[in-house]
C-alpha cells in the first residue's frame, strides 16, 4: 500500500479505532487465516511483520501503523508472536470495556408516565418492595397499608392503627420492611412502633407493639446480616432529633420472646413490649438498645450502614444537617465464654455510640442515600443542591451537583450505573453521573400539578421501575430497553432546533447547554458552542421572522440573543425578585420578544429597550388573565398575541394595547370519554365541569403548542385558522375571529402529551408524541367550511370530530420527541426531529430517513422525482426476486433450461 493511500485512510478514520471497525465477517476471515490447513485445533503464531502483512491482505481497513499498534497492544509480554487466541481475547476485552462505558453513561429512556390505582386517601409516606412475595408495599398517613403485585395491580389492603388513641387522631409517620422475617415496622404519632406480619399466608396481624418511646418516631430503617439472618438492627429518628436503635440477635426466631406465665392463662395475639424493658435487658433476643442526640429539630431520615458500623441521619437544620453516629466495636465480658468456646446466653454486647461526625449544609437536608461501593453519601439539600460526601470528611463535600431551582426533596443512587436520581419541589426529576458530576437527564412537565405536594419515590433497579407518590396518588416511570449502536447528535437529550432558510443552516441545543451548528443539505457539523448559558441547561430555542437572530432560553431564567455566527448580543432577564424563572418557550415579534414557562402573566421585552447588553422586561398592562403558567405562544399579524398554558385556556391579546380581547375555552374540564376507533369524541356539550379532580382536569387540558394558519382568511364560523395540541394526544382547530372551537380529534392514542408543527404552506400538520412516533396529516381542506355547510342563523355550529387525512406515520425515535421543524427542499417536505434519545434526524414526509446529524457519511437531498424513480426500481427488483421464489420458476429450473438459453 502506498504511503499516500495510507495517509488518506488514516485521515478519514482518525476518530475511530481499528478494533471498532471490525465486523463479524472480518473476525471469521482472521480466524480462518490463523488456522493451519486441515487442522482447526492447531493455529499459527505470527510475528510482527507477518501479522501486519496478513491483516493488510485480509482486512484492508487500516494502515500499517494501525496494524503494528494493534500487534503491540496484544503482545504485552513481548514474546514476539501473536496467536488467534490472543487476538480474540484482546478484541473481546475491547468490547467489554465499550459495553461497560455505554451502560454506565447511557441516558435512561422512559415510557410515558402511568397513573397507578392505589387505595390511599391521604399522603403516601413511603414505598418499598417485598422480596419474599415480589410485591410493592405502600403506606399512607391515615393508616392504609397496600400491596401491589408485580403486574402493578392492587393485591391487598388493610387499615393499621392502635388502641392508644382514636383513629382520627392517629397518623402513621414512617415504616421499614423487615425483609428477612416478612414483617413491616410502622411508627405512629402515639409514640409506638407496631410490627405486622405480611407473609403471604397472613392476615396482616400485629405481632408486637413497642410502646413507651420518648417521642414520636418520624423515620425508620431496618438492616439484617445477609450471612446471618438472626443479626439485625432497627433504628428510628424522632421529633426531638434523637436517633435510637434496637440490635436483634435472634430476629429469624423471634424479635421479642414472650415471658413465661401460667399455662392456663390465655396469651394475647399482640405482644406489648415496653421500651424501658428493652433498656433493662429483659428481652434477650433484642440484646441492645442504643440512642444518641443527633439534631435539634425533627430527624427527616435515618439509615444504619453495616459496612461503616454507623447511623446516618439528617434534618433541615443548618448546624447539624447530617450526623453520623459511629458505633463502638464489639466488647464482650471477660470470661463470658461457655464450654467449647460458644457464646453464653447471658453474654451482653456492650456497644454504644463512640463518637459523632457533624456535617453542616445551608438550610439543611431533606433526604440522603449511601452508596457502599463508592463510599459516598448523596444529600438532597433544601438549598437546591445535591452534595456528595465522603463519610470521613466533614469539612467539605467531594462534589456539588447544581441545576435544581427548587429544594431537592428526594435523592437515591442507581447503583448499577453509578448515577444519582433526584427530585425537587417543583416536580423536576434529574439524573446525574456521579464520576463526571454532570446532569445526564432532566424530566419536567410530566408529573401531576398541585400547590403543595408531598413526594416519595422508590427505584426498583431489577425491573427499571421508578415509583413516585404525589400526595395520595402514585405514578410509574418505566425505563425502556436500552438501544445500542445509535448515532448521537449530542451527548445529552436534544431539546430543540431552529432553521435558517437563507443560510441553509440548523442550530440544535441539548440539556447540557451545548449549541451545535449544522448544514441542512449535507448534515455536516460546522461548529459547537458548549456552555451557551454557563452551567445552566438550555430549555428553549426560537428564531425571529427574518431569521437574522436566534434565541435560547435556559433554566437560569435568561434568554440570550445570538447571530448565526455564534456572537452573543443581548441577555433578557426573566427572573423576578421573589423567584427564579425557567424559560420553556420564546416568541419574537415586531414589538419585541415574549418569554413563557415561568409565570401566569405575559413577559415582554420591547424592541426599544434593546440598547444595552442586559435587558429587563417591560411591565405588561393587563395581569392575572391565566390561572397558571403560560406554556405556549403564537402570533397572528398584524397585532395579535396568543397564549395558553397549564389551565387549558387560550387567550388572544392585542399586543399594542396589551389587553386580552378574547378567551377560547375548551369544551370541558375532563378528557373526552367514549372514543371510537377513529378517535371521535361522543360528547357535544361545551360546558366546563368543576369539583373533584379539578387539578387532574387542568393537567389533562394543558396546551403545549399553538400554531396559526396564516395562509387562511376565515370568515365563516366553521373555518379555522388556529391549531392547538397538548395533553391526552388531542388536536383542536379554532376560529380566532369568532372565538369558537371548530374541530377536535384524537391524533395519538394513549399519549400523555403531544407536540406539533405546521408546514410553511399550511398544507400539512405534523404531530409527535412521547414514544417517538410521528404522524403527517393533510389539512389543506380541513375546516375550510363553505357557505352551504354553515349552520342556520341562531344555531350552534356542529363540531367536526372526523380526523383529517393521515398521509404517513412511523416511529422516528426511541424516546420522546421534543421539537419539530419543517422546511421544503427539492419539492419535498422535510421534517427535523429533536429527541430525548440524544439524536437530531432529518426525514421526508413519507417517513424516509435522510440522515441523523452526527453520522459519518454526509447526505445529499435528492429531488422528489429522483426518489420516486429509485423507489420504482426497488419495487421492480423485489418483484423479480419474488418471481424467482415462486413454485413455477423452481419447476422450470428443475426441468432444465433450453439449450439455446443464455445465462
Amino acid at each position: 500500500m502506498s504511503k499516500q493511500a495510507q495517509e488518506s485512510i488514516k485521515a478519514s478514520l482518525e476518530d475511530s479505532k481499528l478494533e471498532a471497525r471490525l465486523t463479524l465477517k472480518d473476525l471469521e476471515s482472521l480466524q480462518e487465516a490463523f488456522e493451519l490447513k486441515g487442522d482447526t485445533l492447531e493455529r499459527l503464531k505470527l510475528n510482527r511483520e507477518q501479522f501486519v502483512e496478513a491483516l493488510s491482505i485480509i482486512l484492508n481497513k487500516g494502515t500499517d501503523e494501525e496494524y503494528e499498534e494493534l500487534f503491540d497492544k496484544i503482545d504485552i509480554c513481548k514474546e514476539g508472536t501473536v496467536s488467534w487466541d490472543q487476538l480474540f481475547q484482546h478484541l473481546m476485552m475491547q468490547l467489554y470495556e465499550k459495553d461497560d462505558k455505554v451502560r454506565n453513561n447511557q441516558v435512561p429512556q422512559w415510557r410515558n408516565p402511568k397513573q397507578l390505582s392505589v387505595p390511599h386517601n391521604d399522603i403516601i409516606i413511603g414505598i418499598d418492595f417485598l422480596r419474599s412475595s415480589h410485591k410493592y408495599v405502600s403506606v399512607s398517613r391515615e393508616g392504609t397499608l397496600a400491596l401491589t403485585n408485580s403486574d402493578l395491580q392492587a393485591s391487598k389492603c388493610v387499615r393499621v392503627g392502635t388502641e392508644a388513641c382514636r383513629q382520627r387522631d392517629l397518623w402513621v409517620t414512617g415504616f421499614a420492611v423487615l425483609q428477612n422475617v416478612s414483617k413491616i415496622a410502622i411508627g405512629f404519632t402515639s409514640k409506638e412502633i407496631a410490627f405486622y406480619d405480611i407473609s403471604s399466608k397472613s392476615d396482616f396481624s400485629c405481632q408486637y407493639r413497642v410502646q413507651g418511646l420518648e417521642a414520636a418516631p418520624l423515620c425508620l430503617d431496618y438492616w439484617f446480616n445477609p450471612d446471618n439472618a438472626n443479626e439485625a438492627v432497627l433504628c428510628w429518628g424522632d421529633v426531638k432529633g434523637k436517633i435510637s436503635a434496637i440490635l436483634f440477635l435472634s430476629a429469624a426466631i423471634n424479635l421479642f420472646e414472650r415471658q413465661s406465665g401460667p399455662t392456663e392463662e390465655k396469651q394475647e395475639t399482640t405482644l406489648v413490649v415496653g421500651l424501658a424493658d428493652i433498656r433493662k435487658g429483659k428481652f434477650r433476643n433484642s440484646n441492645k438498645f442504643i440512642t444518641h442526640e443527633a439534631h435539634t429539630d425533627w430527624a427527616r431520615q435515618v439509615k444504619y450502614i453495616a459496612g461503616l458500623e454507623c447511623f446516618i441521619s439528617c434534618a433541615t437544620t443548618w448546624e447539624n444537617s447530617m450526623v453520623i453516629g459511629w458505633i463502638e466495636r464489639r466488647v464482650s465480658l471477660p470470661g463470658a465464654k461457655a464450654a467449647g468456646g460458644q457464646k453464653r446466653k447471658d453474654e451482653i454486647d456492650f456497644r454504644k455510640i463512640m463518637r459523632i461526625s457533624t456535617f453542616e449544609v445551608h438550610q439543611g437536608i431533606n433526604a440522603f442515600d449511601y452508596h457502599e461501593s463508592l463510599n459516598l453519601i448523596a444529600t438532597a439539600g433544601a438549598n437546591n443542591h445535591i452534595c456528595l460526601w465522603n463519610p470521613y470528611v466533614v469539612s467539605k463535600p467531594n462534589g456539588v451537583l447544581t441545576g435544581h431551582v427548587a429544594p431537592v426533596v428526594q435523592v437515591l443512587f442507581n447503583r448499577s450505573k453509578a448515577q444519582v436520581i433526584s427530585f425537587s419541589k417543583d416536580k423536576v426529576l434529574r439524573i446525574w453521573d456521579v464520576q463526571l458530576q454532570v446532569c445526564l437527564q432532566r424530566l419536567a412537565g410530566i408529573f401531576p400539578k398541585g400547590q403543595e405536594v408531598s413526594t416519595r419515590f422508590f427505584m426498583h433497579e431489577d425491573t427499571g421501575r421508578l415509583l413516585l407518590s404525589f400526595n395520595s396518588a402514585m405514578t410509574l416511570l418505566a425505563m425502556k430497553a436500552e438501544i445500542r449502536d445509535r448515532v448521537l447528535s449530542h451527548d445529552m437529550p436534544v431539546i430543540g432546533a431552529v432553521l435558517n432558510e437563507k443560510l441553509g443552516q440548523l442550530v440544535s441545543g441539548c440539556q447540557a447547554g451545548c449549541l451545535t451548528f449544522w448544514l441542512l443539505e449535507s448534515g455536516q457539523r460546522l461548529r459547537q458552542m458548549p456552555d451557551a448559558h454557563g452551567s445552566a441547561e438550555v430549555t428553549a430555542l426560537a428564531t425571529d421572522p427574518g431569521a437574522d437572530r436566534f434565541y435560547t432560553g435556559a433554566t437560569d431564567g435568561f434568554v440570550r440573543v445570538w447571530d448565526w455566527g455564534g456572537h452573543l448580543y443581548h441577555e433578557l432577564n426573566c427572573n423576578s425578585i421573589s423567584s427564579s424563572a425557567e424559560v420553556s418557550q420564546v416568541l419574537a415579534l415586531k414589538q419585541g420578544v415574549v418569554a413563557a414557562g415561568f409565570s401566569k402573566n405575559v413577559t415582554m421585552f420591547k424592541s426599544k429597550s434593546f440598547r444595552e447588553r442586559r435587558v429587563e422586561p417591560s411591565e405588561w398592562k393587563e395581569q392575572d388573565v391565566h390561572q397558571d403558567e403560560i406554556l405556549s405562544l403564537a402570533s397572528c399579524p398584524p397585532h395579535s398575541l396568543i397564549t395558553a398554558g397549564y389551565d387549558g385556556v387560550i387567550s388572544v391579546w392585542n399586543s399594542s394595547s396589551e389587553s386580552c380581547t378574547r378567551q377560547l375555552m375548551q369544551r370541558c374540564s375532563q378528557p373526552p370519554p367514549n372514543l371510537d376507533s377513529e378517535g371521535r369524541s361522543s360528547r357535544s356539550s361545551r360546558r366546563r365541569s368543576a369539583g373533584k379532580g379539578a387539578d387532574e382536569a387542568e393537567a389533562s387540558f394543558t396546551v403545549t403548542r399553538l400554531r396559526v394558519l396564516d395562509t387562511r382568511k376565515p370568515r365563516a364560523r366553521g373555518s379555522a385558522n388556529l391549531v392547538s395540541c397538548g395533553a391526552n394526544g388531542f388536536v383542536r382547530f379554532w376560529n380566532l375571529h369568532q372565538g369558537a372551537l371548530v374541530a377536535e380529534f384524537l391524533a395519538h392514542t394513549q399519549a400523555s402529551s403531544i407536540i406539533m408543527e405546521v408546514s410553511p404552506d399550511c398544507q400539512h400538520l405534523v404531530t409527535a408524541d412521547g414514544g417517538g412516533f410521528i404522524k403527517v396529516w393533510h389539512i389543506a381542506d380541513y375546516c375550510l367550511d363553505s357557505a352551504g355547510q354553515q349552520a342556520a342563523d341562531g344555531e350552534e355550529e356542529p363540531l367536526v370530530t372526523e380526523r383529517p387525512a393521515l398521509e404517513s406515520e412511523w416511529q422516528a425515535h426511541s424516546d420522546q420527541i421534543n421539537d419539530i421543524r419543517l422546511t421544503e427542499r427539492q419539492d419535498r417536505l422535510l421534517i427535523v426531529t429533536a429527541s430525548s434519545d440524544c439524536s437530531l434526524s432529518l426525514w421526508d414526509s413519507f417517513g424516509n430517513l435522510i440522515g441523523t446529524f452526527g453520522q459519518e457519511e454526509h447526505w445529499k437531498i435528492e429531488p422528489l422525482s429522483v426518489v420516486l424513480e429509485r423507489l420504482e426500481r426497488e419495487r421492480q427488483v423485489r418483484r423479480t426476486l419474488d418471481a424467482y421464489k415462486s413454485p413455477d420458476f423452481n419447476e422450470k429450473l428443475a426441468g432444465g433450461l433450453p439449450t439455446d438459453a443464455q445465462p
Side-chain angles (χ1 to χ4, degrees):
M1 184 181 295
S2 67
K3 185 175 181 180
Q4 183 178 2
Q6 292 182 13
E7 291 177 353
S8 176
I9 294 175
K10 188 172 183 179
S12 63
L13 301 174
E14 59 182 353
D15 294 331
S16 177
K17 286 186 177 181
L18 173 64
E19 295 93 322
R21 302 197 300 270
L22 298 181
T23 64
L24 180 60
K25 188 176 181 180
D26 295 332
L27 296 179
E28 292 174 348
S29 300
L30 287 171
Q31 183 182 16
E32 185 178 354
F34 273 87
E35 290 176 354
L36 290 174
K37 191 172 182 180
D39 191 352
T40 58
L41 298 178
E42 207 172 334
R43 293 190 172 99
L44 292 173
K45 288 189 175 183
L46 304 180
N47 60 29
R48 187 186 181 94
E49 294 180 359
Q50 293 171 333
F51 183 85
V52 173
E53 183 179 0
L55 265 63
S56 300
I57 297 173
I58 298 170
L59 297 180
N60 196 23
K61 281 194 172 182
T63 64
D64 291 350
E65 288 82 3
E66 286 182 300
Y67 299 145
E68 291 173 352
E69 183 181 355
L70 178 60
F71 183 93
D72 293 336
K73 290 179 182 177
I74 300 172
D75 187 25
I76 55 177
C77 296
K78 304 301 180 183
E79 296 176 351
T81 59
V82 166
S83 66
W84 161 252
D85 292 335
Q86 291 173 309
L87 173 61
F88 181 77
Q89 185 178 8
H90 171 76
L91 295 175
M92 291 302 296
M93 288 299 298
Q94 294 292 314
L95 290 174
Y96 288 148
E97 291 176 3
K98 180 181 177 182
D99 184 71
D100 289 341
K101 184 177 179 181
V102 171
R103 184 177 67 250
N104 291 333
N105 295 322
Q106 189 172 16
V107 178
Q109 299 175 26
W110 305 93
R111 302 185 185 278
N112 289 335
K114 180 181 179 182
Q115 195 80 9
L116 302 182
S117 176
V118 289
H120 299 291
N121 296 314
D122 205 342
I123 293 174
I124 297 174
I125 62 169
I127 309 167
D128 210 330
F129 183 73
L130 305 176
R131 293 195 288 267
S132 59
S133 58
H134 300 284
K135 294 179 180 180
Y136 299 98
V137 57
S138 58
V139 181
S140 53
R141 194 169 61 180
E142 89 281 7
T144 300
L145 188 154
L147 294 184
T148 305
N149 60 27
S150 57
D151 296 328
L152 301 176
Q153 302 297 321
S155 173
K156 201 169 186 179
C157 174
V158 296
R159 190 72 177 266
V160 297
T162 178
E163 298 177 356
C165 62
R166 292 178 297 181
Q167 189 73 32
R168 65 181 184 181
D169 298 329
L170 184 71
W171 271 359
V172 173
T173 55
F175 80 97
V177 175
L178 285 60
Q179 299 282 6
N180 60 327
V181 292
S182 295
K183 292 178 176 57
I184 183 170
I186 299 179
F188 296 97
T189 52
S190 55
K191 301 181 182 180
E192 57 185 325
I193 299 175
F195 295 81
Y196 291 85
D197 187 353
I198 52 175
S199 59
S200 58
K201 298 179 180 180
S202 170
D203 58 350
F204 286 11
S205 60
C206 181
Q207 293 188 330
Y208 311 102
R209 193 178 296 277
V210 177
Q211 296 179 341
L213 275 62
E214 184 177 346
L218 284 179
C219 48
L220 291 86
D221 183 59
Y222 180 80
W223 169 89
F224 72 95
N225 189 343
D227 299 324
N228 181 8
N230 283 317
E231 186 179 346
V233 175
L234 175 71
C235 57
W236 67 89
D238 60 33
V239 295
K240 291 185 177 181
K242 278 190 175 183
I243 304 301
S244 305
I246 301 174
L247 280 62
F248 296 99
L249 297 179
S250 304
I253 302 173
N254 275 316
L255 295 179
F256 306 97
E257 68 273 19
R258 293 181 179 271
Q259 302 297 326
S260 59
T263 55
E264 67 275 5
E265 184 177 342
K266 184 179 179 181
Q267 293 185 340
E268 295 291 336
T269 305
T270 303
L271 176 62
V272 178
V273 178
L275 186 63
D277 293 334
I278 298 177
R279 286 173 178 256
K280 294 175 183 177
K282 289 186 176 181
F283 296 91
R284 299 193 181 278
N285 287 354
S286 53
N287 177 264
K288 182 67 177 176
F289 176 78
I290 296 178
T291 185
H292 67 280
E293 305 233 357
H295 309 281
T296 56
D297 200 354
W298 292 4
R300 300 289 177 173
Q301 185 182 350
V302 64
K303 187 181 287 288
Y304 173 69
I305 309 300
L308 301 178
E309 288 197 280
C310 70
F311 297 98
I312 304 177
S313 58
C314 69
T316 52
T317 54
W318 191 337
E319 294 181 353
N320 45 20
S321 307
M322 183 170 66
V323 173
I324 299 181
W326 303 91
I327 305 176
E328 196 174 46
R329 299 288 179 179
R330 293 181 185 273
V331 177
S332 299
L333 288 174
K337 295 289 182 181
Q342 298 297 321
K343 188 173 182 179
R344 281 178 21 189
K345 290 185 179 180
D346 59 349
E347 179 186 350
I348 297 179
D349 188 358
F350 282 92
R351 305 181 74 193
K352 59 183 180 180
I353 299 299
M354 179 176 60
R355 61 185 175 87
I356 288 178
S357 300
T358 302
F359 300 75
E360 295 182 358
V361 175
H362 179 55
Q363 298 181 20
I365 296 172
N366 288 314
F368 68 90
D369 195 14
Y370 176 72
H371 195 297
E372 294 183 0
S373 299
L374 301 177
N375 195 28
L376 283 178
I377 305 171
T379 57
N383 61 354
N384 309 350
H385 299 331
I386 299 163
C387 294
L388 302 176
W389 301 87
N390 184 319
Y392 299 104
V393 180
V394 300
S395 57
K396 64 178 182 178
N398 281 14
V400 180
L401 309 180
T402 60
H404 283 290
V405 296
V408 185
V409 294
Q410 287 282 284
V411 64
L412 58 83
F413 282 100
N414 185 353
R415 287 164 174 78
S416 62
K417 295 190 175 185
Q419 295 173 350
V420 170
I421 303 175
S422 62
F423 194 82
S424 57
K425 199 171 182 179
D426 58 351
K427 304 176 192 65
V428 174
L429 186 142
R430 289 176 180 265
I431 298 178
W432 312 79
D433 184 279
V434 175
Q435 295 180 350
L436 300 178
Q437 296 186 9
V438 296
C439 181
L440 299 176
Q441 191 176 50
R442 173 182 174 275
L443 300 178
I446 63 174
F447 303 110
K449 288 182 61 62
Q451 297 298 323
E452 288 293 332
V453 176
S454 176
T455 304
R456 295 289 185 272
F457 63 39
F458 170 76
M459 181 69 192
H460 192 197
E461 293 190 28
D462 294 341
T463 59
R465 289 171 173 171
L466 183 64
L467 296 172
L468 302 97
S469 68
F470 300 92
N471 289 344
S472 62
M474 192 181 298
T475 300
L476 167 70
L477 272 182
M479 287 186 184
K480 295 180 180 179
E482 294 182 351
I483 301 176
R484 306 188 183 278
D485 301 324
R486 293 183 291 121
V487 177
L488 301 182
S489 310
H490 285 264
D491 295 332
M492 299 286 286
V494 187
I495 58 94
V498 287
L499 281 165
N500 187 317
E501 297 285 355
K502 293 184 291 186
L503 298 177
Q505 291 185 19
L506 180 76
V507 174
S508 60
C510 71
Q511 281 187 1
C514 178
L515 300 180
T516 305
F517 293 72
W518 313 85
L519 278 180
L520 182 66
E521 299 287 344
S522 62
Q524 178 184 348
R525 181 188 284 110
L526 298 176
R527 59 186 173 276
Q528 279 187 321
M529 292 170 48
D531 303 325
H533 281 256
S535 60
E537 300 175 9
V538 173
T539 52
L541 283 93
T543 185
D544 59 15
D548 298 323
R549 301 282 189 271
F550 70 89
Y551 307 84
T552 58
T555 56
D556 60 1
F558 282 91
V559 175
R560 291 191 168 183
V561 185
W562 313 80
D563 67 11
W564 287 85
H567 303 292
L568 176 62
Y569 283 84
H570 302 286
E571 283 186 334
L572 315 183
N573 183 19
C574 301
N575 295 303
S576 64
I577 298 176
S578 59
S579 62
S580 57
E582 183 173 309
V583 182
S584 65
Q585 285 202 19
V586 181
L587 178 67
L589 305 172
K590 289 183 178 180
Q591 299 93 330
V593 177
V594 183
F598 50 88
S599 173
K600 62 182 179 180
N601 295 316
V602 175
T603 303
M604 167 72 85
F605 299 86
K606 294 186 178 179
S607 300
K608 62 182 181 181
S609 61
F610 280 57
R611 297 189 182 96
E612 304 294 332
R613 175 162 182 143
R614 181 158 176 167
V615 183
E616 299 296 330
S618 304
E619 185 174 350
W620 192 260
K621 290 183 179 178
E622 188 168 356
Q623 302 285 320
D624 300 329
V625 171
H626 285 280
Q627 300 301 314
D628 216 325
E629 288 90 350
I630 298 172
L631 291 180
S632 311
L633 302 169
S635 65
C636 183
H639 47 68
S640 290
L641 170 67
I642 310 163
T643 61
Y646 281 115
D647 56 10
V649 178
I650 301 175
S651 301
V652 183
W653 305 78
N654 185 312
S655 56
S656 299
S657 64
E658 300 181 358
S659 61
C660 180
T661 59
R662 184 179 294 111
Q663 284 194 316
L664 311 180
M665 310 294 286
Q666 300 186 57
R667 293 193 297 156
C668 57
S669 61
Q670 293 186 8
N674 304 327
L675 300 172
D676 60 21
S677 60
E678 297 299 321
R680 292 186 295 261
S681 170
S682 63
R683 282 195 313 231
S684 58
S685 166
R686 300 193 184 192
R687 294 172 298 174
R688 295 181 61 87
S689 63
K692 187 178 180 180
D695 290 340
E696 290 81 357
E698 286 189 3
S700 67
F701 272 73
T702 298
V703 178
T704 59
R705 291 290 189 276
L706 290 169
R707 291 296 180 264
V708 174
L709 306 176
D710 48 19
T711 61
R712 296 188 180 187
K713 305 297 180 183
R715 297 290 180 224
R717 187 180 179 88
S719 56
N721 64 337
L722 175 69
V723 189
S724 69
C725 74
N728 295 330
F730 274 85
V731 174
R732 294 177 174 88
F733 281 70
W734 307 81
N735 185 307
L736 270 178
H737 302 287
Q738 303 289 337
L741 176 62
V742 178
E744 173 188 79
F745 68 92
L746 180 62
H748 293 251
T749 58
Q750 298 180 347
S752 60
S753 181
I754 63 173
I755 61 172
M756 68 176 182
E757 189 55 88
V758 176
S759 62
D761 59 3
C762 299
Q763 301 288 304
H764 292 87
L765 171 72
V766 179
T767 57
D769 62 21
F773 287 89
I774 290 281
K775 292 187 179 184
V776 180
W777 310 85
H778 187 75
I779 60 169
D781 301 322
Y782 190 71
C783 293
L784 281 177
D785 215 358
S786 62
Q789 295 174 316
Q790 296 179 30
D793 292 341
E795 293 184 5
E796 189 178 79
E797 190 71 29
L799 187 72
V800 177
T801 57
E802 298 291 336
R803 293 180 178 184
L806 179 62
E807 290 193 349
S808 58
E809 61 177 316
W810 70 95
Q811 185 171 12
H813 295 274
S814 59
D815 206 342
Q816 175 177 309
I817 297 176
N818 299 316
D819 199 10
I820 308 171
R821 300 292 172 178
L822 305 183
T823 184
E824 293 181 354
R825 291 287 191 280
Q826 302 285 4
D827 299 325
R828 301 169 68 183
L829 176 63
L830 302 183
I831 306 171
V832 179
T833 55
S835 172
S836 292
D837 64 6
C838 305
S839 64
L840 181 78
S841 300
L842 181 65
W843 311 79
D844 68 9
S845 58
F846 301 104
N848 298 309
L849 177 63
I850 297 173
T852 298
F853 293 88
Q855 67 183 38
E856 294 184 6
E857 304 85 6
H858 294 163
W859 59 74
K860 180 180 179 182
I861 301 175
E862 299 175 326
L864 181 60
S865 58
V866 176
V867 176
L868 294 177
E869 290 177 4
R870 186 176 69 252
L871 292 175
E872 181 60 30
R873 288 195 301 270
E874 291 176 357
R875 281 193 291 267
Q876 290 179 359
V877 171
R878 283 197 294 269
R879 284 197 294 268
T880 303
L881 292 175
D882 292 340
Y884 287 160
K885 296 176 183 178
S886 66
D888 295 340
F889 180 82
N890 292 331
E891 290 177 3
K892 292 178 182 179
L893 189 63
L897 295 173
T899 55
D900 58 347
Q902 298 295 326

